[in-house]
Amino acid sequence: MRIILASGSPRRKELLQLVVPKFEIIVSKVAEKLLEGITVEEQVTNLAYKKAISVFSQTDGNRIVIGADTIVVKNGKIYGKPKDKKQAKEFIKELLEGDKEHYIITGVSILMHKDGQTKEYNTYDKVKVYLKDISDEEIESWIETGNAMDKAAAYGIQNEFCVFVEKIEGNYTTAVGLPTHKVYDIIIKNMGV
């Protein structure tokens, strides 16, 4: 059975290797456009599905296609990837306001075609993140690493920024970008791979 990850994220690649050792990567070219009038959980699941179905429709035969998307949200505001260093700093400062808490939500869509039948699983997982106090100098230093620019809300929990995370409630792999516990259950248990 072909297993395809519809993402070019090195983090998702590393996490999927923990679940299945062999898979291919076909990067989805789907624009990450948010829809009006749906919840954040529906947004992230919808984006994951769009990525998966895009690659699924380009391929054939028995296969499993995995799409994922991650959104950071605080007080109803969705944080995407920053467009520049100034916005990266603004994002982090906003995450530090008030209780210093926010959520990371990762949606997963897994599409399987086997012997003429197609199955579809769409779900998400949510993690609550608590940040520590971070000085302006520390924020600047973090942004200067260059690692803030390709991540939602201008940070990644899996790299140098981890020193500013007080704790998380939920699955660490969800915060990184692929909830391995859910992927395992769907692929191994539900799909029998």
Side-chain angles (χ1 to χ4, degrees), residues 96 98 100 130-135 138-139 163-166:
L96 291 168
K100 298 182 190 67
Y130 300 79
L131 296 179
K132 298 175 7 181
D133 287 323
I134 310 172
S135 70
E138 289 169 323
I139 293 171
V163 299
F164 304 121
V165 177
E166 185 70 41

Side-chain angles (χ1 to χ4, degrees), residues 5 10 26 29 38 50 52 55 60 72 107 114 128 150 166 171 186:
L5 176 62
I26 301 175
K29 303 288 192 238
I38 63 174
K50 284 182 175 180
V55 172
D60 56 18
V72 175
K114 185 177 179 185
K128 190 172 189 179
D150 68 336
E166 185 70 41
N171 190 294
I186 294 167

Side-chain angles (χ1 to χ4, degrees), residues 4 6-7 22 27 33 42 45 53 61 76 78 83 101 117 125 134 138 145 166 171 175 177 183 192:
I4 304 164
S7 171
K22 287 180 63 179
V27 179
K33 187 174 189 301
E42 290 168 328
T45 306
I53 196 68
I78 293 173
K83 62 178 187 266
E101 301 170 11
Q117 291 195 317
D125 199 42
I134 310 172
E138 289 169 323
T145 67
E166 185 70 41
N171 190 294
V183 173

Side-chain angles (χ1 to χ4, degrees), residues 18-83:
L18 301 173
V19 180
V20 291
K22 287 180 63 179
F23 58 90
E24 31 182 312
I25 294 173
I26 301 175
V27 179
S28 163
K29 303 288 192 238
V30 171
E32 296 181 8
K33 187 174 189 301
L34 300 178
L35 301 174
E36 295 288 324
I38 63 174
T39 66
V40 176
E41 292 82 3
E42 290 168 328
Q43 294 282 7
V44 78
T45 306
N46 177 59
L47 288 169
Y49 175 75
K50 284 182 175 180
K51 292 175 182 182
I53 196 68
S54 168
V55 172
F56 190 81
S57 64
Q58 297 170 36
T59 56
D60 56 18
N62 290 343
R63 68 206 181 279
I64 294 172
V65 177
I66 303 162
D69 193 76
T70 301
I71 286 178
V72 175
V73 64
K74 179 171 179 149
N75 298 329
K77 179 176 177 176
I78 293 173
Y79 292 84
K81 296 172 185 168
K83 62 178 187 266

